[in-house]
Amino acid sequence: MPGDSRRIAGPQDSRAPHWFGRQQETHQEAGGTRQDGRGDHDLRPVYLHTGVVSQATGSAYMEMGQTKVIAAVYGPREISRREEFTMKGRLCCELKFATFSCRQRRQHIQDNQERDGSLIVLQALEPAVCLDKFPKSQVDVYITVLQDDGSALAAAITCAALGLADAGVMMYDVVVGCSVRQCGEDQWLDPSVREEFRPEVESAGDHGMVTVGLLPSLNQVSALVLDGHLQQQTAVQAVKTCISGCQGIYPILKDCLVSSTRRNVPSLEQKSGQTSTDGQNGQT
Amino acid sequence: MATEQTLRSFGCEQNLLSRPDGSANFTQGDTTVLAAVYGPGEVKMSEEIIDKATLRVIFKPKVGLPGCAEKFQERVLRNTCESVVLATLHPRSAINIILQIIQDSGSLLSCCVNAACVALMDAAVPMKCLVSAVTCALTEEGQIVLDPDSKQEKESSAVLTFAFDSRENNVITCSTKGCYTPEQYQESLSACREASKNISSFFRQAVEKRMSKELKVKT
Amino acid sequence: MADSVGKVVIPGDVLSEFRASEKTSKVALGPGLRQDGEEVLVTKSGILRHKEPNLYWIDCHQRRYIPAKGEDVIGIVTVKSGDVYRVDIGATQPATLSYLAFEGATKRNRPNVKVGDLVFAKLLVANKDMEPELVCIDSGGHSSGYGVIPANGGFMFHTSLNLVRKMLSPNCDILKFLGKNVPFETAVGVNGRIWVKAKTVKDTIVVANAIASSEHMTNAQIRTMIRQLLDKLSGF
Amino acid sequence: MAAPRVCVPGERLVSTADCESGRGTYVHHGYIYSCLAGYMHKRNLDGKELPIVEVIRQKEDAVPRIGSIVTGKVTSVSGRMCKCAITCVERTTLREPFRGLIRKEDVRATEKDRVEMYKCFRPGDIVLARVLSLGDANCYLLSTAENELGVVLALSEAGAQMVPVSWSDMQCPKTGSKEFRKVAKVQLQQE
Amino acid sequence: MSSTLGVLSDAERLFIVHGVQDDLRSDGRACEDYRHVEVETDVVSNTSGSARLRLGNTDILVGVKAEMGEPDPGRPKEGKLEFFVDCSANASPEFEGRGGEELAIEVSNALQRIFNSKSTLDLTALCIIPGGQCWVLFVDVLVLECGGNLFDAVSLAVKAALYNTRIPTVIVTADDEGQQEIELSDDPYDVKRLDVDNVPLIVTLSKIGHRHVVDASWEEELCSLARLTVGVTQKGTIAGLNKEGSGSLDPESIYEMIESGKKVGVVLNSRLKEALEKEENSKREKVGFLG
Amino acid sequence: MAADFKTAQPVEYYRRFLKEDVRPDGRELGEIRHTTLNIGSITTAEGSALVKLGNTTVICGIKAELCNPTAEEPKKGFVVPNVDLPPLCSPRFRPGPPSEQAQVVSQLMADIIQNSGVVALEDLCIVEGKLCWVLYCDMLCLDYDGNVVDTCVISLLAALKNVLLPEVRVSEETGDPVTDMEKKLPLNIRKCPVATTFGVFDDHYLFTDPTNEEECLATGVLTIVTTEDNKICCMHKPGGTPLSESRLQDCINRALTRAEEVRKLIHETINSVER
């Protein structure tokens, strides 16, 4: 990376081998079945796990097919930036793609997509977190995509929410993310990287990608992103499909949380003897 | 195994800068390092340590911007100084050591350590003991060359640098390049240790030179 | 220990068999020496000094001033904050000086101290854990020489710490001798700051120079040096 | 008792008609929901007809709240105040410290104006204190103006752990020298 | 948008919310009414295209500069669009320091989102030598004053500026070694224009109480926790959606919002087109529409 | 109040354990945390490995790209190691440019690669002076619980052994490189360096594989990297407690045995993957 004295420098410029590849990369074309043989509205197998980062207050790891995401939550901690006193807590999110997470090597410094993603995840989580529970302090959520095989943003949202829950940050609800790729008539749930919407390889008519973040038990949408062009009805339909997708992932997340809670059992007696000074109840 | 038991001629000058609290110029052969020490002075809030002084080493290469390699050296030098300085005597203060490379013709690291040590003494920063460093090179034939110049370093199969404390002559710091056997390591180590004694005794002479006036004057 | 008195020692040197005086078995260790279990450890390079009955310390060319309780220093007022002034005395942290630490000062009538003023003060609190605290009154509440140094005509200059120590040592008579020839007022801060004021600016400069150049001289040398200076002066 | 129910954030627990909302829960449209992933736990408080429902877990976000007792390590002492790093809130140890501040007037209950800070605290001391207020943007305001509050652990100049000899000073077992501190009355349930 | 812009008393907040409840807003508009918009193109001389737009108190200046550059290796046959948004501190005191930067990033991301599609703007038209040279359009957005509904205003201004943009035609000649050379035609009127028919406009719908409003004033923005920005083309296709703010929305209201977003968007598009054409034909200074 | 005691006097707390020759996490002084290895899990990288040393977790992904060699060394390719210690892995790291710690470890990795000669840069040359490989070896720490150096070295070595490079030839007509993404060839690994890190506590106790807490309390650390031919290719002791020859020799011997174990583990894991 030129001009960065804080890292070991490589050659001035280098090209990924696949630029010179004879055979062009293949994309999922409109019509026809999906490469991994899924039905249009099937999810890929989901794996969730909590407590993967020992140093963090809470953390989670998620796999959706080949997509791998890890999230760590720190805090509530002191507000890092000098700011005026606030009775509400602050939530901060940082989404990062590992340099080796994509076909094309990514740079170390945050790029536009990461900045945009960080904001979307933040706005997806904010409605779910009881910010008034930690005045003048902040909770930091760091998310790293280790491998992007599609629907990374959706995975990031789910994973981050699970991390928050694992950290014991008070929340009104968890958040589940899910994406849909609209390609002409076809509507693929939880698209893989080959199916994902890429402007440079796009078919005519309806095309685009919708990502939704859902608070499943309150049935509220906390994130909604559409890239591409869709007819109004298709858009609405796509959002509906996403929501059903989220509802499909929710039970898996729930099970993961329940089992992880069981794993580190608190002895209730000792806990209920817990000081009552902070025993104020949470009205909304 | 044969050893070239000679160090290049080395010398030092103290107190040649007026602004710092202490300064020294150390030369080994043609390798020259100018060290300046500021402190114990005011410390940045972010770097404050409640029960001891914050040591910082700034390693200024002769040319070019400092990068990872320099940071690496800074860390080695800082830790080396930390292990002899009694930092707990000046809590919540900063001691800054600036090392300006005047010329590098071999054995740079050891020269830096020695320069820093003299500068710390000159600034009268309290120290447990002194630290003296010696570099040696292993030739392809496995011969040990003490205090090598850059040419000898380039030709060698490995370069080892040791820093010793002046009390028990144990190894405070060790940094090596290249490959070598454990036996070679031990031999180099003892060779360097012997040589380091000359340097520590040289430190005493340096102080006597500096104090000569007072020694004469009896108030 | 006795045998190395007056000799050069360097950090790491270990001193043994003290000649503690009859009166007290305990030895007092000054700057540069640390009790380390049974033995005494040298932490600064310099010359080992001994003072009867039982005081040992090390003379060294230290530039940085380390505050010590009860020492007289010259400081510069840098900030007024709340009910204290912040005063730079050349130590790691600025020292604090309370409004009330002046002769006759009360909550009502506050002393007239401005930012930038020179103050001659005594260290009330000085230890590694606390920020140093100054007072401009003695234990009796009187300003015995302490207080703001008038700005008119005086001159403050920096010297090495051990020159100041030397000047203050009883058997150094530079001030006495100078005073005999050139009348002047002076304030000597242990933090290496000396303020002098003579009748004329010229005299002031002479005094300052005399003091500055006296660091490595015996009393005899000093006398001759001063005479030469004065001759030059009267020569004009 | 029966195996306690495990719930996750956003899970509906009971109607407000049957229970009162306690820690780890919130009320929404007449129902009590969980804020945490943890064990649902009902307990009856005397004087209340409705039981309180709480959700309890091991890892819980601990932030200093007004009135809570905190453990802190003194970081710096000046004539007017004493700064410290809050390491524990009640019994939960924090992963990262919060900054706290004890003003001169909050050190002890009596003779507030005769307090000399450096005769109460030294950097490195461990103190028990109560949170007075959330303070300003970067510091919580703490108080040690109670018998049970103040220095619980301090090292002497010689580096030995000192033993309290009175409410105002402690003694070094090594050298026998006494040092001034605002000593907290030792609580017996501590080991 | 960061809802730290100023503060609102509970009384004001309550008034606005109740007002919206019965479809009557503090400035007399109904929930789906737009404020008066004034647009003016060709306002900056040394640009390829420019536009100034006022929407209520919101004032936007956009300049488009066409320069030659290299295409992305991934898209050799296409030109490039680059957005730079500057929320200058005099637009609103909150823009000082980071506040402005963050907002600027949000705006440029929103623009990226609606332009991030082939059918928005035919970028192949900007290609000069495939894989070699292409036109790069630098779109500089300057927020002069922010009186709410920034995103919509910016998108309007950008579309107007692109409509106004003229790119000199180039002739590519290959010399005998097959070396290609680019000649710029020197005739100032020999220019090509962009087809902006499919360029979407952003319609932001702010959720206030149980209803949503379009073109919210900044007071209204303070009362809404969740907003939905909808990209809408002339034909009424949805070109980009994004939920903003720290609140959440229930699915039903989202569908409604998309619905009304589309309605308003289509009208807005056609009105803008009219206005622009009108302005071009008759060199009138300002052309108001929707007023 | 055990927790309180630990936070109040970590050193004292630690001493009590070491008096019994055991560490708070139940290990003996010489004991190394359980090491687990997962090779080739990241399919977007040419080579990858995830290593867990107790809690400490490092994932190394290697991206290979094509570039021109330098004029000075036309026969050599590049290996560019970078260690990333993101705020995700520990509260001690904040967002922004690499911390000093990260820079130092990155440099150490670069030195180890160079000194050990694990990869011969000549092997990365495709056409002299024209075309060569650059291997971007990014080691990303996911959980920082001490001894990140040893973990990084293992992940790096395992990932390098996992690397498959597409076949490249230069077409006569255009002179441009042509890659065959189907035909993949492994990298020639010349040496197998393995690092072992020791910590010194109270200037006396010597323990291996320090945790985060132990690193904070240690009065010195020492890292020894050895290769399979029982040579030392890095002896890194940055200050700290002075050590005698005998103790250093003791460390070297331990490092040699540890290195053998690790090489065995890597070997087995790779075989199990292939099978």
Side-chain angles (χ1 to χ4, degrees):
Chain A
M1 218 165 92
D4 187 347
S5 67
R6 295 194 183 84
R7 291 193 174 86
I8 309 276
Q12 276 307 322
D13 65 75
S14 57
R15 282 286 198 83
H18 61 76
W19 285 129
F20 311 103
R22 262 198 255 88
Q23 57 285 3
Q24 266 311 313
E25 33 182 318
T26 52
H27 306 283
Q28 180 69 52
E29 292 311 329
T33 56
R34 307 173 72 171
Q35 265 143 349
D36 48 16
R38 273 188 290 161
D40 284 0
H41 287 192
D42 294 355
L43 290 161
R44 290 172 293 179
V46 174
Y47 170 76
L48 285 168
H49 195 74
T50 58
V52 287
V53 180
S54 66
Q55 305 299 301
T57 324
S59 59
Y61 172 75
M62 180 178 199
E63 278 182 27
M64 290 170 83
Q66 284 294 314
T67 300
K68 302 180 183 66
V69 180
I70 184 170
V73 176
Y74 291 90
R77 50 160 68 151
E78 279 186 347
I79 291 201
S80 48
R81 252 195 287 125
R82 281 247 171 280
E83 275 186 15
E84 75 287 350
F85 180 89
T86 54
M87 276 314 282
K88 261 184 159 214
R90 270 179 74 232
L91 190 67
C92 302
C93 285
E94 193 183 272
L95 175 64
K96 193 92 195 66
F97 282 84
T99 49
F100 45 78
S101 60
C102 308
R103 192 133 184 278
Q104 179 65 34
R105 178 169 188 264
R106 281 178 162 269
Q107 291 304 333
H108 286 282
I109 38 171
Q110 196 180 38
D111 62 21
N112 217 334
Q113 184 194 359
E114 289 168 333
R115 231 180 269 113
D116 194 19
S118 306
L119 188 65
I120 292 168
V121 175
L122 172 65
Q123 291 177 337
L125 298 177
E126 260 182 334
V129 178
C130 313
L131 292 167
D132 55 330
K133 281 284 191 291
F134 41 97
K136 82 162 196 168
S137 38
Q138 81 181 26
V139 169
D140 292 318
V141 184
Y142 300 109
I143 309 144
T144 299
V145 178
L146 298 174
Q147 181 174 349
D148 177 6
D149 186 27
S151 315
L153 184 59
I157 292 172
T158 317
C159 196
L162 184 56
L164 281 168
D166 179 52
V169 173
M170 298 230 178
M171 294 196 288
Y172 300 117
D173 196 351
V174 291
V175 189
V176 184
C178 191
S179 298
V180 154
R181 159 77 156 114
Q182 186 74 40
C183 182
E185 294 304 296
D186 315 352
Q187 194 173 64
W188 299 313
L189 188 68
D190 181 24
S192 74
V193 74
R194 284 176 159 180
E195 296 164 343
E196 265 192 355
F197 168 66
R198 253 167 288 146
E200 67 269 22
V201 292
E202 107 211 342
S203 52
D206 278 349
H207 54 77
M209 177 132 153
V210 182
T211 303
V212 165
L214 182 76
L215 282 61
S217 63
L218 302 178
N219 189 36
Q220 288 273 312
V221 173
S222 65
L224 169 56
V225 186
L226 159 65
D227 285 299
H229 282 207
L230 296 181
Q231 292 307 319
Q232 184 201 335
Q233 304 78 358
T234 351
V236 171
Q237 188 47 49
V239 174
K240 289 196 167 126
T241 321
C242 282
I243 292 177
S244 69
C246 295
Q247 293 294 8
I249 299 171
Y250 180 46
I252 310 171
L253 184 146
K254 208 167 166 179
D255 293 348
C256 171
L257 263 178
V258 169
S259 56
S260 77
T261 312
R262 286 241 162 77
R263 238 183 290 123
N264 33 43
V265 214
S267 69
L268 290 168
E269 296 64 32
Q270 166 244 311
K271 265 293 181 178
S272 51
Q274 175 62 280
T275 53
S276 54
T277 46
D278 50 349
Q280 84 284 79
N281 54 359
Q283 302 292 346
T284 54
Chain B
M1 135 184 350
T3 318
E4 252 180 52
Q5 271 299 7
T6 55
L7 297 173
R8 291 177 291 177
S9 67
F10 53 91
C12 89
E13 255 184 290
Q14 291 180 68
N15 187 39
L16 24 69
L17 304 176
S18 58
R19 298 284 299 118
D21 296 301
S23 57
N25 186 12
F26 203 93
T27 46
Q28 294 172 204
D30 300 337
T31 308
T32 309
V33 175
L34 176 61
V37 172
Y38 291 85
E42 218 159 333
V43 63
K44 280 210 227 97
M45 254 308 181
S46 53
E47 293 169 348
E48 183 179 86
I49 309 175
I50 67 160
D51 57 352
K52 62 178 206 245
T54 309
L55 245 75
R56 261 170 80 244
V57 169
I58 295 137
F59 182 89
K60 287 195 183 299
K62 196 170 159 199
V63 289
L65 288 165
C68 287
E70 284 68 24
K71 267 270 171 289
F72 186 78
Q73 297 292 12
E74 283 179 5
R75 171 73 75 93
V76 172
L77 289 160
R78 191 186 77 214
N79 293 358
T80 311
C81 297
E82 267 173 349
S83 46
V84 289
V85 169
L86 291 160
T88 50
L89 295 187
H90 299 293
R92 302 189 310 286
S93 69
I95 299 175
N96 294 335
I97 305 167
I98 294 100
L99 292 163
Q100 173 65 57
I101 312 310
I102 307 294
Q103 174 152 357
D104 172 11
S105 46
S107 316
L108 183 63
L109 182 55
S110 54
C111 190
C112 288
V113 172
N114 297 334
C117 178
V118 181
L120 283 166
M121 259 203 298
D122 186 48
V125 173
M127 292 191 278
K128 280 198 208 73
C129 59
L130 301 181
V131 53
S132 52
V134 178
T135 301
C136 76
L138 289 170
T139 62
E140 299 297 345
E141 305 76 46
Q143 192 196 28
I144 297 179
V145 182
L146 281 174
D147 192 22
D149 56 32
S150 17
K151 182 163 164 297
Q152 291 166 312
E153 278 188 358
K154 216 174 255 82
E155 291 160 352
S156 65
S157 64
V159 177
L160 301 87
T161 301
F162 301 89
F164 305 90
D165 72 281
S166 63
R167 290 184 75 176
E168 278 98 22
N169 295 309
N170 283 331
V171 179
I172 291 178
T173 293
C174 166
S175 169
T176 72
K177 288 221 171 296
C179 273
Y180 45 88
T181 65
E183 297 68 33
Q184 288 174 316
Y185 176 79
Q186 290 296 1
E187 281 152 0
S188 322
L189 172 51
S190 40
C192 290
R193 163 182 282 130
E194 278 317 303
S196 76
K197 292 180 180 146
N198 310 345
I199 295 185
S200 2
S201 55
F202 171 76
F203 286 154
R204 189 180 296 276
Q205 296 158 16
V207 177
E208 274 160 0
K209 198 166 97 228
R210 174 121 161 74
M211 288 288 166
S212 50
K213 289 215 189 83
E214 279 75 0
L215 284 170
K216 280 194 237 86
V217 184
K218 287 270 175 293
T219 40
Chain C
M1 190 130 175
D3 49 355
S4 40
V5 169
K7 293 209 181 64
V8 161
V9 289
I10 60 174
D13 289 0
V14 174
L15 307 173
S16 44
E17 18 101 8
F18 312 96
R19 192 169 41 74
S21 74
E22 302 68 38
K23 299 174 216 65
T24 154
S25 62
K26 225 156 171 289
V27 238
L29 299 178
L33 296 173
R34 279 184 96 230
Q35 190 76 44
D36 176 17
E38 279 314 292
E39 52 203 14
V40 169
L41 187 66
V42 177
T43 65
K44 294 179 180 181
S45 64
I47 301 166
L48 182 65
R49 300 285 186 201
H50 173 47
K51 185 155 169 291
E52 285 304 337
N54 59 347
L55 178 64
Y56 291 89
W57 76 97
I58 286 180
D59 257 346
C60 60
H61 293 265
Q62 187 156 351
R63 289 213 179 126
R64 175 73 58 165
Y65 175 63
I66 308 294
K69 196 176 196 307
E71 287 185 331
D72 297 344
V73 294
I74 296 180
I76 304 162
V77 180
T78 54
V79 188
K80 278 186 182 183
S81 69
D83 56 355
V84 295
Y85 301 104
R86 298 217 163 281
V87 183
D88 163 55
I89 58 171
T92 55
Q93 312 168 264
T96 58
L97 172 58
S98 164
Y99 282 110
L100 302 173
F102 290 84
E103 189 177 35
T106 64
K107 285 244 187 299
R108 291 245 164 14
N109 83 39
R110 295 183 154 183
N112 171 26
V113 182
K114 291 180 282 351
V115 169
D117 283 357
L118 284 180
V119 288
F120 184 60
K122 185 191 224 43
L123 276 158
L124 179 69
V125 178
N127 65 53
K128 62 183 175 71
D129 296 335
M130 303 274 308
E131 57 182 3
E133 194 176 329
L134 297 169
V135 287
C136 287
I137 39 175
D138 60 15
S139 47
H142 305 294
S143 84
S144 39
Y146 299 121
V148 178
I149 298 174
N152 52 348
F155 174 56
M156 203 259 300
F157 61 99
H158 298 247
T159 66
S160 79
L161 298 183
N162 63 325
L163 169 56
V164 176
R165 290 236 162 64
K166 171 178 171 169
M167 286 172 64
L168 295 173
S169 70
N171 49 14
C172 167
D173 54 7
I174 174 165
L175 291 180
K176 293 195 220 85
F177 191 77
L178 262 171
K180 285 209 197 76
N181 302 282
V182 193
F184 67 93
E185 332 167 37
T186 181
V188 179
V190 193
N191 56 340
R193 293 175 183 179
I194 302 176
W195 175 86
V196 289
K197 181 167 183 289
K199 274 205 225 64
T200 67
V201 176
K202 202 194 267 171
D203 292 5
T204 310
I205 303 298
V206 170
V207 174
N209 287 330
I211 295 173
S213 50
S214 71
E215 176 155 12
H216 304 302
M217 295 184 181
T218 60
N219 284 335
Q221 289 168 318
I222 290 173
R223 284 160 188 275
T224 42
M225 178 265 293
I226 292 175
R227 278 201 202 83
Q228 287 162 354
L229 264 173
L230 295 171
D231 298 346
K232 281 215 192 69
L233 206 55
S234 47
F236 293 116
Chain D
M1 61 195 253
R5 169 178 166 191
V6 177
C7 48
V8 305
E11 190 170 325
R12 182 194 285 188
L13 303 175
V14 286
S15 145
T16 42
D18 317 333
C19 279
E20 274 191 37
S21 150
R23 290 169 56 242
T25 69
Y26 68 96
V27 177
H28 179 63
H29 293 334
Y31 285 93
I32 298 175
Y33 294 77
S34 170
C35 293
L36 296 169
Y39 289 84
M40 177 173 148
H41 178 57
K42 283 189 196 170
R43 61 190 166 109
N44 298 65
L45 288 184
D46 36 5
K48 285 226 168 101
E49 68 283 3
L50 288 180
I52 284 198
V53 61
E54 299 175 320
V55 176
I56 288 156
R57 62 180 280 118
Q58 214 155 38
K59 271 194 282 177
E60 204 173 317
D61 59 327
V63 287
R65 300 198 166 84
I66 293 177
S68 47
I69 300 284
V70 298
T71 317
K73 183 175 193 153
V74 176
T75 56
S76 79
V77 182
S78 80
R80 279 148 285 110
M81 59 171 138
C82 150
K83 291 203 177 105
C84 51
I86 301 171
T87 54
C88 299
V89 176
E90 300 300 342
R91 282 182 207 169
T92 36
T93 312
L94 301 170
R95 288 164 174 271
E96 292 169 81
F98 285 97
R99 271 168 296 171
L101 187 149
I102 307 171
R103 291 176 306 180
K104 196 173 169 191
E105 52 268 40
D106 300 325
V107 171
R108 61 177 189 224
T110 56
E111 301 181 291
K112 295 181 175 206
D113 42 5
R114 306 251 319 281
V115 173
E116 286 176 278
M117 283 317 267
Y118 53 95
K119 287 191 173 174
C120 300
F121 307 107
R122 281 299 176 100
D125 292 358
I126 304 296
V127 294
L128 275 181
R130 190 181 291 284
V131 179
L132 275 184
S133 82
L134 298 180
D136 61 5
N138 42 43
C139 274
Y140 286 88
L141 267 193
L142 309 178
S143 158
T144 55
E146 289 171 49
N147 288 345
E148 290 67 30
L149 302 180
V151 177
V152 289
L153 190 152
L155 301 184
S156 67
E157 292 291 345
Q161 182 175 338
M162 297 197 287
V163 286
V165 284
S166 82
W167 68 273
S168 66
D169 45 359
M170 299 176 111
Q171 188 167 35
C172 168
K174 233 193 210 163
T175 62
S177 63
K178 283 186 179 175
E179 288 183 31
F180 291 109
R181 291 290 196 281
K182 195 304 186 180
V183 183
K185 195 198 272 167
V186 255
Q187 285 137 303
L188 292 165
Q189 81 270 15
Q190 289 182 16
E191 10 123 302
Chain E
M1 188 191 300
S2 49
S3 58
T4 57
L5 294 168
V7 281
L8 219 55
S9 73
D10 290 356
E12 295 170 272
R13 187 171 275 109
L14 214 63
F15 180 80
I16 291 172
V17 172
H18 286 164
V20 170
Q21 241 22 289
D22 17 21
D23 200 8
L24 178 59
R25 293 158 71 177
S26 40
D27 51 13
R29 288 183 287 157
C31 282
E32 297 193 352
D33 289 355
Y34 236 77
R35 281 175 294 184
H36 179 68
V37 183
E38 277 177 4
V39 68
E40 182 186 354
T41 58
D42 212 2
V43 286
V44 188
S45 55
N46 60 352
T47 58
S48 320
S50 61
R52 168 113 182 236
L53 181 126
R54 287 191 65 88
L55 167 67
N57 294 334
T58 307
D59 194 341
I60 311 287
L61 181 65
V62 174
V64 180
K65 253 187 175 332
E67 289 174 16
M68 283 197 211
E70 287 180 6
D72 292 339
R75 305 163 150 200
K77 294 186 185 59
E78 291 180 20
K80 283 192 284 189
L81 260 180
E82 307 265 351
F83 294 100
F84 294 97
V85 182
D86 175 14
C87 298
S88 63
N90 53 4
S92 164
E94 284 72 17
F95 292 174
E96 296 224 30
R98 292 186 55 83
E101 287 169 38
E102 278 163 10
L103 182 55
I105 291 167
E106 283 185 52
V107 175
S108 56
N109 284 342
L111 289 170
Q112 223 88 45
R113 181 157 289 116
I114 58 169
F115 279 89
N116 178 9
S117 161
K118 244 190 195 146
S119 41
T120 296
L121 200 62
D122 179 18
L123 292 173
T124 51
L126 296 175
C127 176
I128 301 167
I129 304 168
Q133 285 284 315
C134 71
W135 286 108
V136 184
L137 298 184
F138 294 97
V139 182
D140 291 295
V141 179
L142 179 57
V143 180
L144 297 171
E145 191 182 350
C146 181
N149 201 16
L150 191 63
F151 290 71
D152 299 19
V154 169
S155 71
L156 279 161
V158 167
K159 184 167 182 174
L162 288 171
Y163 175 86
N164 174 245
T165 300
R166 281 145 178 74
I167 302 166
T169 44
V170 292
I171 308 103
V172 179
T173 57
D175 62 15
D176 34 10
E177 290 104 53
Q179 273 297 358
Q180 287 174 309
E181 285 175 358
I182 301 168
E183 278 177 32
L184 269 177
S185 91
D186 32 28
D187 169 12
Y189 293 98
D190 177 11
V191 292
K192 72 168 184 270
R193 301 183 57 171
L194 300 163
D195 167 19
V196 295
D197 282 356
N198 272 335
V199 171
L201 292 176
I202 294 178
V203 179
T204 305
L205 300 108
S206 310
K207 183 88 174 172
I208 295 180
H210 297 299
R211 294 186 68 151
H212 56 262
V213 302
V214 298
D215 183 25
S217 65
W218 72 268
E219 293 91 343
E220 290 170 329
E221 274 169 356
L222 288 180
C223 303
S224 98
L225 284 175
R227 287 173 298 281
L228 191 68
T229 60
V230 187
V232 188
T233 66
Q234 216 160 349
K235 300 197 197 66
T237 32
I238 308 300
L241 285 169
N242 190 21
K243 172 253 159 189
E244 314 215 318
S246 59
S248 60
L249 301 162
D250 61 292
E252 284 317 312
S253 61
I254 286 182
Y255 308 143
E256 292 165 16
M257 284 160 116
I258 295 177
E259 168 86 55
S260 49
K262 177 188 174 182
K263 261 210 329 279
V264 177
V266 171
V267 179
L268 208 54
N269 267 298
S270 52
R271 292 288 181 83
L272 177 66
K273 193 158 187 239
E274 285 169 29
L276 289 170
E277 280 160 358
K278 206 134 117 258
E279 186 201 17
E280 217 170 38
N281 306 337
S282 65
K283 271 272 141 258
R284 248 183 63 210
E285 266 316 286
K286 288 190 177 146
V287 177
F289 71 99
L290 253 174
Chain F
M1 308 294 272
D4 285 10
F5 173 54
K6 189 178 168 193
T7 44
Q9 296 171 283
V11 180
E12 202 34 57
Y13 174 84
Y14 213 76
R15 281 200 190 105
R16 293 203 184 169
F17 279 95
L18 289 194
K19 281 209 190 69
E20 316 300 318
D21 282 315
V22 62
R23 293 147 77 169
D25 58 8
R27 281 188 289 163
E28 290 168 16
L29 271 67
E31 196 175 332
I32 290 166
R33 288 173 289 177
H34 183 54
T35 316
T36 57
L37 200 52
N38 181 339
I39 295 183
S41 40
I42 304 292
T43 52
T44 44
E46 271 69 26
S48 69
L50 181 129
V51 177
K52 274 175 88 56
L53 186 58
N55 286 330
T56 303
T57 313
V58 171
I59 185 165
C60 174
I62 299 181
K63 292 291 272 183
E65 298 197 342
L66 293 162
C67 67
N68 313 32
T70 58
E72 299 77 49
E73 296 172 316
K75 282 204 189 66
K76 289 186 176 178
F78 305 84
V79 178
V80 184
N82 270 297
V83 175
D84 194 0
L85 302 175
L88 174 138
C89 74
S90 163
R92 64 203 270 185
F93 303 117
R94 293 278 181 231
S99 58
E100 188 203 50
Q101 176 73 353
Q103 296 177 56
V104 168
V105 182
S106 296
Q107 183 60 42
L108 188 58
M109 290 304 128
D111 289 354
I112 290 170
I113 292 171
Q114 196 194 359
N115 295 339
S116 65
V118 52
V119 181
L121 296 181
E122 290 77 4
D123 296 351
L124 298 176
C125 183
I126 302 163
V127 182
E128 178 175 345
K130 286 259 178 300
L131 192 66
C132 68
W133 286 108
V134 51
L135 301 180
Y136 294 101
C137 311
D138 287 304
M139 285 151 275
L140 176 61
C141 180
L142 302 178
D143 191 345
Y144 188 102
D145 190 14
N147 197 5
V148 74
V149 171
D150 293 9
T151 324
C152 281
V153 175
I154 300 174
S155 70
L156 177 68
L157 181 58
L160 283 169
K161 281 174 175 280
N162 176 238
V163 165
L164 287 177
L165 297 176
E167 193 182 59
V168 185
R169 45 174 197 75
V170 177
S171 73
E172 291 71 14
E173 54 275 14
T174 59
D176 295 343
V178 180
T179 54
D180 182 345
M181 302 307 282
E182 305 308 307
K183 270 223 207 72
K184 296 251 176 114
L185 311 162
L187 195 63
N188 180 2
I189 304 301
R190 305 282 181 121
K191 286 270 169 43
C192 298
V194 178
T196 312
T197 297
F198 303 82
V200 189
F201 181 77
D202 264 1
D203 297 338
H204 169 61
Y205 299 99
L206 194 70
F207 50 76
T208 45
D209 179 26
T211 63
N212 186 29
E213 276 168 8
E214 291 171 333
E215 275 180 357
C216 298
L217 298 174
T219 52
V221 293
L222 162 68
T223 301
I224 304 176
V225 187
T226 62
T227 51
E228 62 272 41
D229 49 9
N230 287 345
K231 279 192 164 184
I232 307 173
C233 61
C234 175
M235 185 89 180
H236 182 56
K237 184 183 185 307
T241 303
L243 292 179
S244 65
E245 266 115 327
S246 52
R247 296 201 97 179
L248 288 168
Q249 185 56 52
D250 172 33
C251 294
I252 293 173
N253 299 341
R254 290 208 235 165
L256 289 168
T257 35
R258 162 67 175 167
E260 267 322 304
E261 296 165 16
V262 172
R263 282 185 208 102
K264 202 154 141 286
L265 174 68
I266 294 177
H267 185 71
E268 283 164 358
T269 324
I270 288 176
N271 292 351
S272 65
V273 170
E274 279 160 1
R275 239 175 268 110

